[in-house]
Structures are given as C-alpha cells and as structure tokens.
Amino acid sequence: PFQVVGGKVKKPGKRGRKPAKIDLKAKLERSRQSARECRARKKLRYQYLEELVSSRERAICALREELEMYKQWCMAMDQGKIPSEIKALLTGEEQGKAQQNSTKLAKAAKTEANSSNP
C-alpha cells in the first residue's frame, strides 16, 4: 500500500489542495476587483502623503519667517535698539504678572470673607 518515491514514503490517496474547479470568469472578476481596490488605496495613500508634504512645507515657511524675524531682532539689539515687539512683550509680561497677583489677592480676600461668615 505504500510507495517509496525519492526516499520518501507516499501514502495512497490525495492530500493537499484539490484542483480548483472555480469558474475562470469569476476568478478574473475577483482579480479585477482586487486591482481596482488596490488602485483606490494607492490613490488615497498618495493624496494623504501629498497633503502631509504640503502642510510640512507651510510649516517650514512659517518657521523660516519666524527665524528671519528673530535674526532682525538680534541685529537691532546688537545695534543698541530694542525692537517694539520685544518692548511690548516685556511690558505685556509685567502687566500679566501684575494682573495675576491682583486676581490671586482678590481670590484670597473672597475665601477669607467666605470662611469668616458662618
């Protein structure tokens, strides 16, 4: 019942995949559908990558402009001039700190008033 072929013992009967009895037209249609889906995925992937590249390019441009502004500020400060933007930032920070302190004091006063009233 056993056959020896090439040093291996072969059992009678068929093992493994059976020959496909699938309709050739159906197989071709599945292949076409798969190809359509692949092309659609590829198109979406390229659109996503193009949007990503353009957003990164916009970010690069914005950062270059910001860098150029900082360079101008440094050149102005090297010449002994303080750019108006830096003055505004400094006075804004000082005003912001004063506002924060006043709100903290107001909150503390409110809490004291609330805790002292029964």
Side-chain angles (χ1 to χ4, degrees), residues 103-118:
T103 52
K104 284 180 185 175
L105 290 173
K107 285 182 181 177
K110 282 183 182 176
T111 0
E112 276 186 36
N114 289 340
S115 61
S116 63
N117 288 341

Side-chain angles (χ1 to χ4, degrees), residues 84-95:
S84 58
E85 295 92 342
I86 293 178
K87 284 182 185 176
L89 284 173
L90 291 173
T91 56
E93 283 179 12
E94 289 169 5
Q95 289 173 354

Side-chain angles (χ1 to χ4, degrees), residues 10-52:
K10 283 229 164 200
K11 295 180 183 177
K14 295 182 181 177
R15 291 183 55 98
R17 295 186 81 162
K18 305 238 186 312
K21 295 180 182 176
I22 300 171
D23 188 12
L24 188 61
K25 287 183 180 180
K27 186 175 180 181
L28 285 174
E29 184 53 40
R30 274 202 319 273
S31 176
R32 288 187 195 110
Q33 180 64 29
S34 177
R36 276 193 292 271
E37 290 169 1
C38 180
R39 286 190 295 270
R41 283 192 305 270
K42 184 178 177 182
K43 186 178 177 181
L44 285 172
R45 185 169 50 251
Y46 273 86
Q47 285 175 348
Y48 166 74
L49 290 173
E50 285 172 1
E51 289 171 10
L52 194 63

